[in-house]
Amino acid sequence: QVQPLESGGGLVQAGGSLRLSCAASGSFYSIDLMAWYRQPPGNQRELVALITDGGSTNYADSVKGRFTISRDTAKNTMYLQMNSLKPDDTAVYYCKIGSRKYYYSGVSNYWGQGTQVTVSS
């Protein structure tokens, strides 16, 4: 079982920056994928960015050039550096971790509780 714990949300003015963190704790063989999703008020949850165990990244078009996803493998921690924030970035941001319990296990996904990011105009 993996427990993702997000931190770093808050209130920021448009044009500002925030850095989110997601630390994975618990028992697992490997972490294959880490991702950030967000859910704006009244909307569905959407993918923001992901990073694989090999370091490959992918971003939603709306955040390309402004957000950077990274991970510290030794600390089992993922980060999302968010720059040039816009009011449209306001959402609850969720961390998702895809991990294997044993080397022969399939990948299971675990979600964090979410952290609120509010960007004022």
Side-chain angles (χ1 to χ4, degrees):
Q1 189 80 6
V2 176
Q3 293 86 42
L5 180 62
E6 302 111 332
S7 62
L11 173 63
V12 65
Q13 288 188 331
S17 298
L18 282 174
R19 188 193 195 205
L20 305 183
S21 300
C22 174
S25 62
S27 176
F28 49 87
Y29 170 75
S30 67
I31 294 177
D32 290 31
L33 180 76
M34 302 183 85
W36 289 101
Y37 285 72
R38 67 185 181 186
Q39 186 165 13
N43 288 286
Q44 293 184 334
R45 194 173 297 188
E46 60 186 17
L47 176 68
V48 176
L50 63 84
I51 185 166
T52 68
D53 57 349
S56 298
T57 59
N58 195 20
Y59 296 91
D61 288 342
S62 60
V63 306
K64 282 181 181 177
R66 300 188 298 123
F67 291 9
T68 302
I69 190 170
S70 61
R71 65 184 285 182
D72 184 331
T73 303
K75 295 182 179 180
N76 293 320
T77 300
M78 169 180 64
Y79 306 97
L80 185 68
Q81 179 66 43
M82 304 185 293
N83 299 328
S84 302
L85 283 161
K86 306 174 182 178
D88 285 350
D89 295 317
T90 295
V92 177
Y93 284 69
Y94 295 91
C95 166
K96 186 180 85 171
I97 296 174
S99 70
R100 300 175 188 269
K101 185 172 178 62
Y102 305 106
Y103 73 93
Y104 53 80
S105 303
V107 176
S108 296
N109 292 316
Y110 301 90
W111 291 88
Q113 294 294 316
T115 184
Q116 177 69 46
V117 172
T118 303
V119 184
S120 63
S121 57

